[in-house]
Amino acid sequence: MKQEQIFSAQNVDRAIEKALDALHLDRDAVSVEVIEMGRKGFLGIGASDAKIRVTYEVPDAPKPPEAPKAQPEKAQPVEKTEAPRTARPAREQDGTPRLVKAAPHDAAPAPARPEKPAREEEKPRLVRRANGEKPAGEPAPKAEAPKTAAPAEEKPDRAPRPAYVRPEAMPEAEWPEQAKEAIRFIDGLLDKLGVEGHAYVTAQSEPDHLRLEIEGPDMGPVIGRRGDTLDAIQYLTSLVLNRGTDEHIRLTIDTENYRVKRAESLERLARKMAGKVSRYHKPMTLEPMNPYERRIIHSALQDYRGVTTHSTGTEPNRRVVISPEGGRKFSGRRPRQQ
């Protein structure tokens, strides 16, 4: 069962955070429709809060079992028993009793009924005593063999997720000078952050695309919330890598295969939201994403029938909007009523 609630806050991001905290749900479990983007106003005059409509699934309440209807008992027919009538002696007209003639002695006697054969002697029944003791002579009950529990069928274990495979490292002697400078910057940054780890150049690197990997015992602080910290490290390192050079070298920094996992999660989210847009014919606005993640959403839905995608807003709050195919694009504001 679907439910909807409306939340308002200073801006759309805070309204979404307020809704997730109030509903105790993750961002992937709800769909957000922006009603009003909100305005800052001038010196506080004319300011208005942003409003969003949040749709989420709620499990249906189980129906109580119906009580069986009591059927009325049919009345049993009562058999009428007639009392035996006693024969009254006949009387004469003057009131004297009439004499009944006796049967003659030579009358044929009534045929005698054949005697029933004697029944076999019934076996004496064994009566249990009131205190539960068994009477003498009663055979003891046979002891039942203990039932052995049937061996439980072994359920096949779920297929384990593929383990993380460490990317192959490029020999340090083959590292370009710019890559060495980027590695020194990342190692120094990790030291300042108090994170144990180091970076290296992977064998998948190309002359115009440098791929670096960070490894260590705990990479959670390096990844951050939804990869924000990892994106910041990649952005700062890219500035250091391309400083003072005419040619721009692309840079990708990853750790513990996070980039691939995040791409798979975004593709699942895109297909889920596209299904809702096709079903309800309403546009859905996703959370703010960087250009790399928005590109993943657009690529995942470019061949999805019935929906189109476009981006709206300005960085860093630029979002992807999934709209029904054939409908006009949703800019975040409702049209004025005439």
Side-chain angles (χ1 to χ4, degrees), residues 79-93:
E79 297 181 357
K80 297 182 180 180
T81 57
E82 297 181 356
R85 298 180 180 179
T86 56
R88 296 181 180 179
R91 294 180 178 272
E92 298 290 346
Q93 294 181 358

Side-chain angles (χ1 to χ4, degrees), residues 175-217:
W175 291 2
E177 189 62 31
Q178 293 175 336
K180 293 180 181 179
E181 186 178 359
I183 294 296
R184 286 194 297 267
F185 174 77
I186 295 174
D187 291 345
L189 185 60
L190 295 178
D191 189 20
K192 295 294 183 181
L193 294 175
V195 178
E196 183 181 355
H198 67 280
Y200 65 91
V201 183
T202 64
Q204 290 79 17
S205 297
E206 300 173 0
D208 59 341
H209 190 179
L210 190 62
R211 300 179 184 271
L212 306 182
E213 182 78 13
I214 303 176
E215 62 178 1

Side-chain angles (χ1 to χ4, degrees), residues 100-105:
V100 180
K101 295 182 180 180
H105 293 283

Side-chain angles (χ1 to χ4, degrees), residues 9-22:
Q10 187 176 3
N11 52 44
V12 176
D13 294 337
R14 293 186 179 179
I16 294 175
E17 293 179 359
K18 180 179 178 181
L20 297 179
D21 293 340

Side-chain angles (χ1 to χ4, degrees), residues 247-258:
E247 297 181 359
H248 181 79
I249 300 177
R250 291 188 300 164
L251 175 66
T252 301
I253 300 178
D254 197 3
T255 178
E256 296 182 353
N257 206 24
Y258 172 77

Side-chain angles (χ1 to χ4, degrees), residues 117-136:
R119 297 181 180 178
E120 297 181 358
E121 296 182 358
E122 296 181 356
K123 297 181 181 179
R125 297 181 179 178
L126 300 177
V127 182
R128 293 183 180 272
R129 298 179 183 177
N131 56 4
E133 296 180 0
K134 297 179 181 179

